[in-house]
Amino acid sequence: MKIAIIGSGYVGLVTGACFADLGNEVICVDHDQEKIKLLNKGKLPIYEPGLLELVQKNTKNKRLKFSSLVSEAVKKSEIIFICVGTPPRDNGEADLSAVEAVAQTIAKNMTSYKLIVEKSTVPVETGLQVKNTIQEFVKKNVAFDVASNPEFLREGSAVYDLFHPDRIVIGVESKRAEKILKDLYKPFKVPILVTDIKSAELIKHASNSFLALKISFINLVAQYCEKVQADISKVSEGIGLDKRIGKSFLNAGIGFGGFCFPKDLSAFIHIGEKLGLTSGLLREVLDINESQKNIFIKMVEQALWNLSGKKIGVLGLSFKPDTDDMRYAPSIDIITRLQQLGAEIIAYDPQAIPKAKSMLKNVKFASSAYAVCQNSDALLILTEWNEFRELDLKKVKKMLKRPIVIDGRNIYSPSEMKSSGFKYYSMGR
Ligand code: UDX
Protein backbone atom coordinates (compact mmCIF):
# COMPACT_ATOMS: atom_id res chain seq x y z
CA MET A 1 0.00 0.00 0.00
CA LYS A 2 1.11 3.58 -0.58
CA ILE A 3 1.16 5.57 2.62
CA ALA A 4 1.95 9.17 3.55
CA ILE A 5 2.74 10.05 7.14
CA ILE A 6 2.37 13.75 7.86
CA GLY A 7 4.42 14.69 10.93
CA SER A 8 7.65 12.81 11.65
CA GLY A 9 7.78 12.99 15.44
CA TYR A 10 7.76 9.96 17.74
CA VAL A 11 4.46 8.60 16.49
CA GLY A 12 4.95 9.43 12.80
CA LEU A 13 8.46 8.05 12.52
CA VAL A 14 7.74 4.82 14.36
CA THR A 15 4.49 4.27 12.44
CA GLY A 16 6.11 5.05 9.09
CA ALA A 17 9.16 2.85 9.67
CA CYS A 18 7.05 -0.08 10.87
CA PHE A 19 4.56 0.15 7.97
CA ALA A 20 7.52 0.23 5.54
CA ASP A 21 8.98 -2.81 7.25
CA LEU A 22 5.70 -4.63 6.63
CA GLY A 23 6.17 -4.09 2.88
CA ASN A 24 4.35 -0.82 2.27
CA GLU A 25 5.72 2.20 0.39
CA VAL A 26 5.90 5.04 2.89
CA ILE A 27 6.74 8.74 2.64
CA CYS A 28 7.26 10.49 5.99
CA VAL A 29 6.80 14.24 5.81
CA ASP A 30 7.80 17.00 8.20
CA HIS A 31 7.90 20.78 7.78
CA ASP A 32 11.15 20.86 9.78
CA GLN A 33 13.68 20.70 6.94
CA GLU A 34 16.61 20.08 9.31
CA LYS A 35 14.84 16.98 10.60
CA ILE A 36 14.26 15.72 7.07
CA LYS A 37 17.93 16.36 6.16
CA LEU A 38 19.01 14.38 9.23
CA LEU A 39 16.65 11.51 8.38
CA ASN A 40 17.86 11.46 4.79
CA LYS A 41 21.40 11.05 6.14
CA GLY A 42 20.22 7.94 8.00
CA LYS A 43 20.20 9.66 11.41
CA LEU A 44 17.37 10.06 13.94
CA PRO A 45 16.25 13.23 15.71
CA ILE A 46 15.15 11.12 18.72
CA TYR A 47 16.41 8.14 20.68
CA GLU A 48 14.03 5.19 20.43
CA PRO A 49 15.29 1.60 20.78
CA GLY A 50 15.17 -0.36 17.49
CA LEU A 51 14.04 2.59 15.37
CA LEU A 52 17.40 3.51 13.79
CA GLU A 53 17.91 -0.02 12.46
CA LEU A 54 14.37 -0.06 11.06
CA VAL A 55 14.77 3.34 9.38
CA GLN A 56 18.15 2.46 7.88
CA LYS A 57 16.96 -0.93 6.61
CA ASN A 58 13.82 0.46 4.97
CA THR A 59 15.44 3.55 3.45
CA LYS A 60 18.06 1.26 1.91
CA ASN A 61 15.40 -0.95 0.30
CA LYS A 62 13.61 2.26 -0.81
CA ARG A 63 10.31 1.51 0.94
CA LEU A 64 10.79 4.45 3.30
CA LYS A 65 11.36 8.01 2.08
CA PHE A 66 11.47 11.41 3.76
CA SER A 67 10.24 14.67 2.35
CA SER A 68 9.28 18.17 3.45
CA LEU A 69 6.56 18.40 0.79
CA VAL A 70 3.04 17.38 1.85
CA SER A 71 1.87 17.89 -1.76
CA GLU A 72 4.23 15.24 -3.15
CA ALA A 73 3.35 12.73 -0.42
CA VAL A 74 -0.41 13.24 -0.90
CA LYS A 75 -0.19 12.73 -4.65
CA LYS A 76 1.78 9.51 -4.32
CA SER A 77 -0.31 7.88 -1.56
CA GLU A 78 -3.74 6.41 -0.98
CA ILE A 79 -3.68 6.44 2.81
CA ILE A 80 -2.58 9.60 4.62
CA PHE A 81 -1.90 9.46 8.34
CA ILE A 82 -2.00 12.75 10.25
CA CYS A 83 0.64 12.47 12.98
CA VAL A 84 1.32 16.12 13.75
CA GLY A 85 1.61 17.49 17.28
CA THR A 86 -1.41 18.55 19.34
CA PRO A 87 0.35 20.52 22.11
CA PRO A 88 -1.56 21.90 25.09
CA ARG A 89 -2.64 25.54 25.27
CA ASP A 90 -2.34 27.35 28.63
CA ASN A 91 -5.89 26.29 29.58
CA GLY A 92 -5.18 22.60 28.90
CA GLU A 93 -7.11 22.54 25.64
CA ALA A 94 -5.38 20.72 22.73
CA ASP A 95 -4.05 23.11 20.09
CA LEU A 96 -5.35 21.65 16.85
CA SER A 97 -4.05 24.30 14.48
CA ALA A 98 -1.43 21.96 12.99
CA VAL A 99 -4.14 19.34 12.32
CA GLU A 100 -6.30 21.94 10.60
CA ALA A 101 -3.41 23.26 8.49
CA VAL A 102 -2.47 19.74 7.39
CA ALA A 103 -6.10 18.89 6.56
CA GLN A 104 -6.29 21.98 4.31
CA THR A 105 -3.02 21.14 2.54
CA ILE A 106 -4.07 17.54 2.00
CA ALA A 107 -7.41 18.68 0.55
CA LYS A 108 -5.79 21.14 -1.85
CA ASN A 109 -3.47 18.44 -3.22
CA MET A 110 -6.00 15.62 -3.61
CA THR A 111 -6.72 14.57 -7.18
CA SER A 112 -7.98 11.03 -6.50
CA TYR A 113 -9.59 9.07 -3.63
CA LYS A 114 -7.72 9.33 -0.32
CA LEU A 115 -8.27 7.87 3.12
CA ILE A 116 -7.21 10.45 5.70
CA VAL A 117 -6.52 8.89 9.09
CA GLU A 118 -6.04 10.79 12.34
CA LYS A 119 -3.35 9.18 14.45
CA SER A 120 -2.45 12.25 16.48
CA THR A 121 -4.21 12.19 19.84
CA VAL A 122 -7.15 14.52 19.41
CA PRO A 123 -10.29 15.44 21.35
CA VAL A 124 -13.53 13.76 20.39
CA GLU A 125 -15.21 15.33 17.33
CA THR A 126 -11.90 16.37 15.71
CA GLY A 127 -12.61 13.86 12.92
CA LEU A 128 -15.74 15.78 12.11
CA GLN A 129 -13.75 19.02 11.85
CA VAL A 130 -11.13 17.35 9.65
CA LYS A 131 -13.89 16.05 7.38
CA ASN A 132 -15.55 19.47 7.12
CA THR A 133 -12.20 21.14 6.40
CA ILE A 134 -11.34 18.70 3.64
CA GLN A 135 -14.83 18.99 2.18
CA GLU A 136 -14.41 22.76 2.01
CA PHE A 137 -10.95 22.82 0.41
CA VAL A 138 -11.02 19.76 -1.85
CA LYS A 139 -11.60 20.07 -5.58
CA LYS A 140 -15.09 19.01 -6.59
CA ASN A 141 -15.80 15.30 -7.15
CA VAL A 142 -12.68 13.95 -5.43
CA ALA A 143 -13.87 11.25 -3.05
CA PHE A 144 -12.33 10.76 0.37
CA ASP A 145 -12.90 9.19 3.77
CA VAL A 146 -11.76 10.27 7.20
CA ALA A 147 -10.92 7.69 9.88
CA SER A 148 -9.47 7.56 13.37
CA ASN A 149 -6.78 5.04 14.24
CA PRO A 150 -5.30 5.95 17.64
CA GLU A 151 -1.82 4.85 18.62
CA PHE A 152 -0.96 3.19 21.92
CA LEU A 153 2.82 3.43 21.67
CA ARG A 154 4.95 3.88 24.75
CA GLU A 155 8.14 5.83 24.22
CA GLY A 156 11.10 3.58 24.83
CA SER A 157 9.24 0.53 23.52
CA ALA A 158 7.31 2.13 20.67
CA VAL A 159 8.70 -0.18 17.95
CA TYR A 160 7.86 -3.25 20.02
CA ASP A 161 4.40 -1.85 20.82
CA LEU A 162 3.64 -1.16 17.17
CA PHE A 163 4.45 -4.74 16.16
CA HIS A 164 2.79 -6.28 19.26
CA PRO A 165 -0.36 -4.27 20.00
CA ASP A 166 -3.04 -5.51 22.43
CA ARG A 167 -5.66 -4.27 19.99
CA ILE A 168 -6.09 -2.11 16.92
CA VAL A 169 -8.85 0.47 16.99
CA ILE A 170 -10.27 1.84 13.77
CA GLY A 171 -13.00 4.44 13.73
CA VAL A 172 -14.62 4.65 10.30
CA GLU A 173 -17.69 5.90 8.47
CA SER A 174 -17.59 3.73 5.35
CA LYS A 175 -17.00 0.11 4.34
CA ARG A 176 -14.30 1.30 1.93
CA ALA A 177 -12.28 2.91 4.74
CA GLU A 178 -12.82 -0.13 6.95
CA LYS A 179 -11.53 -2.49 4.24
CA ILE A 180 -8.41 -0.41 3.53
CA LEU A 181 -7.44 -0.24 7.21
CA LYS A 182 -8.25 -3.92 7.80
CA ASP A 183 -6.01 -4.81 4.82
CA LEU A 184 -3.23 -2.61 6.17
CA TYR A 185 -3.40 -4.31 9.55
CA LYS A 186 -3.84 -7.84 8.15
CA PRO A 187 -0.33 -8.97 9.24
CA PHE A 188 -1.28 -8.32 12.89
CA LYS A 189 -2.92 -11.26 14.60
CA VAL A 190 -4.78 -9.21 17.24
CA PRO A 191 -8.37 -8.05 17.67
CA ILE A 192 -9.36 -5.18 15.39
CA LEU A 193 -12.10 -3.14 16.97
CA VAL A 194 -14.17 -1.27 14.40
CA THR A 195 -16.09 1.71 15.76
CA ASP A 196 -17.44 5.06 14.67
CA ILE A 197 -14.89 7.88 14.57
CA LYS A 198 -15.98 9.59 17.80
CA SER A 199 -15.78 6.36 19.81
CA ALA A 200 -12.26 5.70 18.50
CA GLU A 201 -11.21 9.22 19.51
CA LEU A 202 -12.67 8.67 22.99
CA ILE A 203 -10.96 5.28 23.36
CA LYS A 204 -7.58 7.01 23.08
CA HIS A 205 -8.24 9.82 25.57
CA ALA A 206 -10.01 7.47 27.98
CA SER A 207 -7.20 4.86 27.85
CA ASN A 208 -4.48 7.36 28.70
CA SER A 209 -6.63 8.99 31.37
CA PHE A 210 -7.36 5.62 32.96
CA LEU A 211 -3.66 4.67 33.02
CA ALA A 212 -2.80 8.05 34.57
CA LEU A 213 -5.61 7.49 37.10
CA LYS A 214 -4.10 4.11 38.02
CA ILE A 215 -0.72 5.77 38.68
CA SER A 216 -2.22 8.55 40.79
CA PHE A 217 -4.33 6.04 42.67
CA ILE A 218 -1.29 3.97 43.65
CA ASN A 219 0.59 7.15 44.53
CA LEU A 220 -2.26 8.13 46.86
CA VAL A 221 -2.09 4.69 48.47
CA ALA A 222 1.70 5.22 48.80
CA GLN A 223 0.89 8.35 50.81
CA TYR A 224 -1.22 6.17 53.16
CA CYS A 225 1.72 3.74 53.42
CA GLU A 226 4.06 6.60 54.28
CA LYS A 227 1.80 7.71 57.15
CA VAL A 228 1.54 4.26 58.76
CA GLN A 229 4.89 2.76 57.69
CA ALA A 230 3.37 0.13 55.41
CA ASP A 231 5.07 -1.02 52.18
CA ILE A 232 3.58 0.20 48.89
CA SER A 233 5.45 -2.47 46.88
CA LYS A 234 3.59 -5.19 48.77
CA VAL A 235 0.29 -3.32 48.70
CA SER A 236 0.69 -2.81 44.97
CA GLU A 237 1.46 -6.49 44.41
CA GLY A 238 -1.55 -7.48 46.50
CA ILE A 239 -3.85 -5.22 44.53
CA GLY A 240 -2.40 -6.15 41.15
CA LEU A 241 -2.80 -9.90 41.64
CA ASP A 242 -6.54 -9.34 41.34
CA LYS A 243 -7.02 -10.05 37.62
CA ARG A 244 -9.76 -7.44 37.43
CA ILE A 245 -7.21 -4.78 38.40
CA GLY A 246 -3.95 -6.09 36.87
CA LYS A 247 -0.35 -5.47 37.88
CA SER A 248 0.74 -2.86 35.38
CA PHE A 249 0.83 0.87 36.04
CA LEU A 250 0.83 0.36 39.79
CA ASN A 251 4.40 1.54 40.41
CA ALA A 252 4.43 4.36 42.95
CA GLY A 253 6.96 7.15 42.57
CA ILE A 254 7.44 10.80 41.68
CA GLY A 255 4.59 10.60 39.17
CA PHE A 256 3.97 10.52 35.46
CA GLY A 257 5.43 12.88 32.89
CA GLY A 258 6.04 12.83 29.15
CA PHE A 259 4.17 14.38 26.29
CA CYS A 260 1.10 12.14 26.55
CA PHE A 261 -0.41 11.66 30.00
CA PRO A 262 -0.25 15.26 31.32
CA LYS A 263 -1.34 16.71 27.99
CA ASP A 264 -4.01 14.13 27.15
CA LEU A 265 -5.51 14.27 30.62
CA SER A 266 -5.73 18.08 30.48
CA ALA A 267 -7.29 17.92 27.03
CA PHE A 268 -9.80 15.27 28.18
CA ILE A 269 -10.76 17.44 31.16
CA HIS A 270 -11.13 20.45 28.89
CA ILE A 271 -13.35 18.74 26.33
CA GLY A 272 -15.43 17.20 29.15
CA GLU A 273 -16.01 20.60 30.73
CA LYS A 274 -16.88 22.04 27.33
CA LEU A 275 -19.51 19.30 27.06
CA GLY A 276 -20.86 20.23 30.50
CA LEU A 277 -19.45 17.19 32.31
CA THR A 278 -17.88 16.98 35.74
CA SER A 279 -14.08 16.86 35.84
CA GLY A 280 -13.32 16.45 39.57
CA LEU A 281 -12.02 12.89 39.31
CA LEU A 282 -9.59 13.69 36.50
CA ARG A 283 -8.43 16.96 38.07
CA GLU A 284 -7.58 15.03 41.23
CA VAL A 285 -5.39 12.70 39.13
CA LEU A 286 -3.33 15.72 38.05
CA ASP A 287 -3.24 17.17 41.59
CA ILE A 288 -1.98 13.91 43.13
CA ASN A 289 0.66 13.74 40.41
CA GLU A 290 1.89 17.20 41.37
CA SER A 291 1.85 16.35 45.08
CA GLN A 292 4.27 13.44 44.54
CA LYS A 293 7.01 15.90 43.54
CA ASN A 294 6.38 17.98 46.71
CA ILE A 295 6.54 14.83 48.85
CA PHE A 296 9.89 13.99 47.26
CA ILE A 297 11.31 17.48 47.91
CA LYS A 298 10.19 17.27 51.56
CA MET A 299 12.01 13.94 51.83
CA VAL A 300 15.21 15.55 50.51
CA GLU A 301 14.85 18.34 53.08
CA GLN A 302 14.18 15.80 55.82
CA ALA A 303 17.36 13.95 54.88
CA LEU A 304 19.64 16.97 54.39
CA TRP A 305 17.92 19.67 56.49
CA ASN A 306 19.11 22.94 54.90
CA LEU A 307 19.76 22.58 51.19
CA SER A 308 21.75 25.77 50.84
CA GLY A 309 25.31 24.89 49.84
CA LYS A 310 24.59 21.14 49.64
CA LYS A 311 25.75 19.23 46.58
CA ILE A 312 23.08 16.83 45.30
CA GLY A 313 23.72 14.11 42.73
CA VAL A 314 20.81 13.23 40.42
CA LEU A 315 20.51 9.99 38.46
CA GLY A 316 17.95 10.09 35.65
CA LEU A 317 16.45 13.08 33.86
CA SER A 318 14.18 11.72 31.11
CA PHE A 319 10.50 11.27 32.04
CA LYS A 320 10.97 7.49 31.92
CA PRO A 321 13.76 5.04 31.01
CA ASP A 322 14.81 4.16 27.44
CA THR A 323 14.00 7.55 26.00
CA ASP A 324 15.79 10.89 25.76
CA ASP A 325 12.46 12.74 26.03
CA MET A 326 12.48 15.47 28.67
CA ARG A 327 9.02 16.86 28.03
CA TYR A 328 7.10 17.23 31.31
CA ALA A 329 9.77 15.12 33.06
CA PRO A 330 9.31 15.30 36.86
CA SER A 331 13.10 15.90 37.05
CA ILE A 332 12.62 19.44 35.69
CA ASP A 333 10.34 20.63 38.52
CA ILE A 334 12.28 18.72 41.18
CA ILE A 335 15.72 20.03 40.15
CA THR A 336 14.45 23.60 39.74
CA ARG A 337 12.85 23.53 43.21
CA LEU A 338 16.02 22.08 44.82
CA GLN A 339 18.06 24.84 43.17
CA GLN A 340 15.63 27.46 44.52
CA LEU A 341 16.26 26.00 47.97
CA GLY A 342 19.99 26.56 47.47
CA ALA A 343 21.25 23.12 46.36
CA GLU A 344 23.96 22.63 43.79
CA ILE A 345 23.01 19.91 41.27
CA ILE A 346 25.17 17.45 39.38
CA ALA A 347 23.22 15.08 37.12
CA TYR A 348 23.63 12.12 34.82
CA ASP A 349 21.27 10.44 32.36
CA PRO A 350 22.23 7.78 29.80
CA GLN A 351 20.43 9.55 26.91
CA ALA A 352 18.70 12.78 27.92
CA ILE A 353 21.63 15.12 28.69
CA PRO A 354 21.68 16.89 25.28
CA LYS A 355 17.94 17.69 25.59
CA ALA A 356 18.21 18.44 29.34
CA LYS A 357 20.90 21.07 28.67
CA SER A 358 18.38 23.36 27.02
CA MET A 359 15.75 22.85 29.75
CA LEU A 360 17.75 23.03 32.98
CA LYS A 361 19.95 25.94 34.02
CA ASN A 362 23.07 25.83 36.23
CA VAL A 363 23.17 22.04 36.38
CA LYS A 364 26.55 20.33 36.07
CA PHE A 365 26.20 17.29 33.80
CA ALA A 366 28.36 14.28 34.56
CA SER A 367 29.57 11.61 32.16
CA SER A 368 28.69 8.63 34.37
CA ALA A 369 26.54 7.61 37.32
CA TYR A 370 29.62 7.30 39.53
CA ALA A 371 30.84 10.80 38.64
CA VAL A 372 27.54 12.10 40.08
CA CYS A 373 28.26 10.41 43.41
CA GLN A 374 31.71 11.96 43.89
CA ASN A 375 31.58 14.10 47.02
CA SER A 376 27.78 14.59 46.87
CA ASP A 377 25.75 15.05 50.04
CA ALA A 378 23.02 12.76 48.70
CA LEU A 379 22.11 10.74 45.63
CA LEU A 380 18.62 11.07 44.10
CA ILE A 381 17.05 8.56 41.69
CA LEU A 382 14.57 10.31 39.37
CA THR A 383 14.35 7.83 36.44
CA GLU A 384 14.57 4.05 36.76
CA TRP A 385 17.15 3.30 34.02
CA ASN A 386 18.36 -0.30 34.31
CA GLU A 387 21.98 0.76 34.65
CA PHE A 388 21.12 2.44 37.96
CA ARG A 389 19.75 -0.84 39.31
CA GLU A 390 23.11 -2.45 38.53
CA LEU A 391 25.35 0.09 40.31
CA ASP A 392 28.14 -1.12 42.58
CA LEU A 393 26.64 0.20 45.81
CA LYS A 394 29.87 -0.23 47.78
CA LYS A 395 31.58 2.08 45.31
CA VAL A 396 28.63 4.51 45.44
CA LYS A 397 28.87 4.65 49.24
CA LYS A 398 32.61 5.27 49.17
CA MET A 399 32.24 8.11 46.68
CA LEU A 400 29.34 9.93 48.37
CA LYS A 401 30.20 12.50 51.04
CA ARG A 402 27.28 11.17 53.09
CA PRO A 403 25.63 7.77 52.48
CA ILE A 404 22.17 9.18 51.68
CA VAL A 405 20.06 7.83 48.81
CA ILE A 406 16.59 9.22 48.07
CA ASP A 407 14.86 7.01 45.54
CA GLY A 408 11.92 8.50 43.65
CA ARG A 409 11.33 5.28 41.68
CA ASN A 410 11.72 2.58 44.36
CA ILE A 411 14.46 0.69 42.50
CA TYR A 412 16.39 -0.59 45.53
CA SER A 413 15.34 -2.82 48.40
CA PRO A 414 15.02 -0.84 51.65
CA SER A 415 16.41 -3.71 53.75
CA GLU A 416 19.45 -4.20 51.49
CA MET A 417 20.16 -0.48 51.44
CA LYS A 418 19.96 -0.38 55.21
CA SER A 419 22.28 -3.33 55.66
CA SER A 420 24.73 -1.74 53.18
CA GLY A 421 24.91 1.24 55.51
CA PHE A 422 22.84 3.75 53.54
CA LYS A 423 20.33 6.16 54.94
CA TYR A 424 17.70 5.23 52.35
CA TYR A 425 14.42 7.00 51.57
CA SER A 426 11.88 5.83 48.99
CA MET A 427 8.26 6.47 48.04
CA GLY A 428 5.68 4.84 50.34
CA ARG A 429 7.94 2.22 51.86
C1 UDX B 1 1.77 6.61 27.09
C2 UDX B 1 0.82 5.43 26.86
O1 UDX B 1 1.24 4.33 27.67
C3 UDX B 1 0.81 5.03 25.40
O2 UDX B 1 -0.14 4.02 25.19
C4 UDX B 1 0.46 6.28 24.62
O3 UDX B 1 -0.46 6.34 23.77
C5 UDX B 1 1.43 7.39 24.85
O4 UDX B 1 1.41 7.68 26.23
P1 UDX B 1 4.38 7.01 27.36
O5 UDX B 1 4.01 8.39 27.80
O6 UDX B 1 5.44 6.86 26.35
O7 UDX B 1 3.11 6.22 26.81
O8 UDX B 1 4.91 6.20 28.64
P2 UDX B 1 4.29 5.23 29.75
O9 UDX B 1 5.11 4.02 29.80
O10 UDX B 1 2.84 5.03 29.58
O11 UDX B 1 4.58 6.07 31.09
C6 UDX B 1 4.04 7.37 31.29
C7 UDX B 1 4.51 7.93 32.60
O12 UDX B 1 3.95 7.25 33.70
C8 UDX B 1 6.03 7.90 32.82
O13 UDX B 1 6.46 9.12 33.36
C9 UDX B 1 6.22 6.78 33.81
O14 UDX B 1 7.37 6.95 34.61
C10 UDX B 1 4.94 6.89 34.64
N1 UDX B 1 4.54 5.64 35.29
C11 UDX B 1 4.16 4.57 34.54
C12 UDX B 1 4.51 5.56 36.67
O15 UDX B 1 4.84 6.51 37.39
N2 UDX B 1 4.08 4.38 37.25
C13 UDX B 1 3.70 3.31 36.53
O16 UDX B 1 3.31 2.30 37.13
C14 UDX B 1 3.74 3.40 35.13
mmCIF file of all heavy atoms in Angstrom, residues 64-80:
data_model
loop_
_atom_site.group_PDB
_atom_site.id
_atom_site.type_symbol
_atom_site.label_atom_id
_atom_site.label_comp_id
_atom_site.label_asym_id
_atom_site.label_seq_id
_atom_site.Cartn_x
_atom_site.Cartn_y
_atom_site.Cartn_z
ATOM 1 N N LEU A 64 11.016 3.322 2.401
ATOM 2 C CA LEU A 64 10.787 4.450 3.296
ATOM 3 C C LEU A 64 11.522 5.683 2.775
ATOM 4 O O LEU A 64 12.734 5.635 2.545
ATOM 5 C CB LEU A 64 11.301 4.092 4.701
ATOM 6 C CG LEU A 64 11.136 5.139 5.792
ATOM 7 C CD1 LEU A 64 9.662 5.472 6.027
ATOM 8 C CD2 LEU A 64 11.760 4.640 7.110
ATOM 9 N N LYS A 65 10.744 6.771 2.571
ATOM 10 C CA LYS A 65 11.360 8.010 2.077
ATOM 11 C C LYS A 65 10.970 9.161 2.995
ATOM 12 O O LYS A 65 9.959 9.087 3.692
ATOM 13 C CB LYS A 65 10.869 8.305 0.664
ATOM 14 C CG LYS A 65 11.385 7.266 -0.319
ATOM 15 C CD LYS A 65 11.197 7.683 -1.758
ATOM 16 C CE LYS A 65 11.815 6.630 -2.664
ATOM 17 N NZ LYS A 65 10.961 6.173 -3.707
ATOM 18 N N PHE A 66 11.763 10.222 2.948
ATOM 19 C CA PHE A 66 11.472 11.406 3.763
ATOM 20 C C PHE A 66 11.371 12.625 2.878
ATOM 21 O O PHE A 66 12.139 12.762 1.923
ATOM 22 C CB PHE A 66 12.571 11.604 4.815
ATOM 23 C CG PHE A 66 12.701 10.433 5.734
ATOM 24 C CD1 PHE A 66 13.723 9.510 5.561
ATOM 25 C CD2 PHE A 66 11.774 10.231 6.752
ATOM 26 C CE1 PHE A 66 13.825 8.402 6.392
ATOM 27 C CE2 PHE A 66 11.866 9.129 7.586
ATOM 28 C CZ PHE A 66 12.895 8.211 7.407
ATOM 29 N N SER A 67 10.422 13.494 3.195
ATOM 30 C CA SER A 67 10.239 14.669 2.352
ATOM 31 C C SER A 67 9.679 15.819 3.199
ATOM 32 O O SER A 67 9.069 15.592 4.248
ATOM 33 C CB SER A 67 9.246 14.321 1.238
ATOM 34 O OG SER A 67 8.763 15.488 0.622
ATOM 35 N N SER A 68 9.916 17.057 2.720
ATOM 36 C CA SER A 68 9.281 18.165 3.448
ATOM 37 C C SER A 68 8.058 18.666 2.680
ATOM 38 O O SER A 68 7.456 19.674 3.037
ATOM 39 C CB SER A 68 10.295 19.284 3.709
ATOM 40 O OG SER A 68 10.982 19.565 2.530
ATOM 41 N N LEU A 69 7.690 17.956 1.614
ATOM 42 C CA LEU A 69 6.557 18.401 0.791
ATOM 43 C C LEU A 69 5.306 17.546 0.993
ATOM 44 O O LEU A 69 5.245 16.393 0.556
ATOM 45 C CB LEU A 69 6.949 18.346 -0.694
ATOM 46 C CG LEU A 69 8.066 19.296 -1.139
ATOM 47 C CD1 LEU A 69 8.416 19.037 -2.587
ATOM 48 C CD2 LEU A 69 7.624 20.747 -0.925
ATOM 49 N N VAL A 70 4.305 18.117 1.649
ATOM 50 C CA VAL A 70 3.042 17.381 1.852
ATOM 51 C C VAL A 70 2.424 17.068 0.480
ATOM 52 O O VAL A 70 1.905 15.971 0.243
ATOM 53 C CB VAL A 70 2.054 18.205 2.711
ATOM 54 C CG1 VAL A 70 0.717 17.494 2.837
ATOM 55 C CG2 VAL A 70 2.634 18.470 4.090
ATOM 56 N N SER A 71 2.521 18.047 -0.438
ATOM 57 C CA SER A 71 1.873 17.887 -1.757
ATOM 58 C C SER A 71 2.345 16.619 -2.463
ATOM 59 O O SER A 71 1.526 15.825 -2.942
ATOM 60 C CB SER A 71 2.164 19.112 -2.627
ATOM 61 O OG SER A 71 3.559 19.347 -2.661
ATOM 62 N N GLU A 72 3.649 16.412 -2.464
ATOM 63 C CA GLU A 72 4.225 15.236 -3.151
ATOM 64 C C GLU A 72 3.729 13.942 -2.481
ATOM 65 O O GLU A 72 3.303 13.000 -3.158
ATOM 66 C CB GLU A 72 5.752 15.344 -3.040
ATOM 67 C CG GLU A 72 6.513 14.228 -3.715
ATOM 68 C CD GLU A 72 7.951 14.109 -3.179
ATOM 69 O OE1 GLU A 72 8.464 15.068 -2.547
ATOM 70 O OE2 GLU A 72 8.539 13.032 -3.385
ATOM 71 N N ALA A 73 3.749 13.923 -1.155
ATOM 72 C CA ALA A 73 3.347 12.725 -0.420
ATOM 73 C C ALA A 73 1.871 12.411 -0.654
ATOM 74 O O ALA A 73 1.484 11.248 -0.820
ATOM 75 C CB ALA A 73 3.621 12.918 1.065
ATOM 76 N N VAL A 74 1.031 13.453 -0.695
ATOM 77 C CA VAL A 74 -0.409 13.238 -0.896
ATOM 78 C C VAL A 74 -0.654 12.645 -2.289
ATOM 79 O O VAL A 74 -1.417 11.684 -2.449
ATOM 80 C CB VAL A 74 -1.191 14.567 -0.724
ATOM 81 C CG1 VAL A 74 -2.643 14.429 -1.172
ATOM 82 C CG2 VAL A 74 -1.128 15.019 0.732
ATOM 83 N N LYS A 75 0.031 13.208 -3.267
ATOM 84 C CA LYS A 75 -0.187 12.733 -4.646
ATOM 85 C C LYS A 75 0.196 11.265 -4.800
ATOM 86 O O LYS A 75 -0.449 10.515 -5.511
ATOM 87 C CB LYS A 75 0.599 13.606 -5.629
ATOM 88 C CG LYS A 75 -0.187 14.878 -5.910
ATOM 89 C CD LYS A 75 0.478 15.816 -6.873
ATOM 90 C CE LYS A 75 -0.312 17.126 -6.830
ATOM 91 N NZ LYS A 75 0.504 18.292 -6.717
ATOM 92 N N LYS A 76 1.266 10.866 -4.125
ATOM 93 C CA LYS A 76 1.783 9.508 -4.316
ATOM 94 C C LYS A 76 1.116 8.451 -3.435
ATOM 95 O O LYS A 76 1.462 7.285 -3.531
ATOM 96 C CB LYS A 76 3.281 9.503 -4.036
ATOM 97 C CG LYS A 76 4.085 10.220 -5.118
ATOM 98 C CD LYS A 76 5.562 10.035 -4.887
ATOM 99 C CE LYS A 76 6.353 10.711 -5.999
ATOM 100 N NZ LYS A 76 7.725 10.966 -5.602
ATOM 101 N N SER A 77 0.201 8.848 -2.543
ATOM 102 C CA SER A 77 -0.309 7.877 -1.564
ATOM 103 C C SER A 77 -1.829 7.745 -1.605
ATOM 104 O O SER A 77 -2.529 8.657 -2.033
ATOM 105 C CB SER A 77 0.072 8.314 -0.149
ATOM 106 O OG SER A 77 1.417 8.653 -0.108
ATOM 107 N N GLU A 78 -2.293 6.571 -1.103
ATOM 108 C CA GLU A 78 -3.741 6.406 -0.982
ATOM 109 C C GLU A 78 -4.188 6.649 0.465
ATOM 110 O O GLU A 78 -5.249 7.197 0.726
ATOM 111 C CB GLU A 78 -4.155 4.983 -1.396
ATOM 112 C CG GLU A 78 -5.667 4.827 -1.417
ATOM 113 C CD GLU A 78 -6.152 3.415 -1.694
ATOM 114 O OE1 GLU A 78 -5.339 2.473 -1.641
ATOM 115 O OE2 GLU A 78 -7.352 3.251 -1.936
ATOM 116 N N ILE A 79 -3.323 6.241 1.407
ATOM 117 C CA ILE A 79 -3.678 6.441 2.814
ATOM 118 C C ILE A 79 -2.779 7.531 3.378
ATOM 119 O O ILE A 79 -1.548 7.481 3.214
ATOM 120 C CB ILE A 79 -3.450 5.170 3.658
ATOM 121 C CG1 ILE A 79 -3.965 3.928 2.927
ATOM 122 C CG2 ILE A 79 -4.092 5.299 5.023
ATOM 123 C CD1 ILE A 79 -3.663 2.638 3.658
ATOM 124 N N ILE A 80 -3.375 8.502 4.060
ATOM 125 C CA ILE A 80 -2.583 9.602 4.623
ATOM 126 C C ILE A 80 -2.829 9.650 6.125
ATOM 127 O O ILE A 80 -3.961 9.877 6.577
ATOM 128 C CB ILE A 80 -2.981 10.948 3.986
ATOM 129 C CG1 ILE A 80 -2.772 10.858 2.466
ATOM 130 C CG2 ILE A 80 -2.164 12.102 4.569
ATOM 131 C CD1 ILE A 80 -3.579 11.874 1.704
#
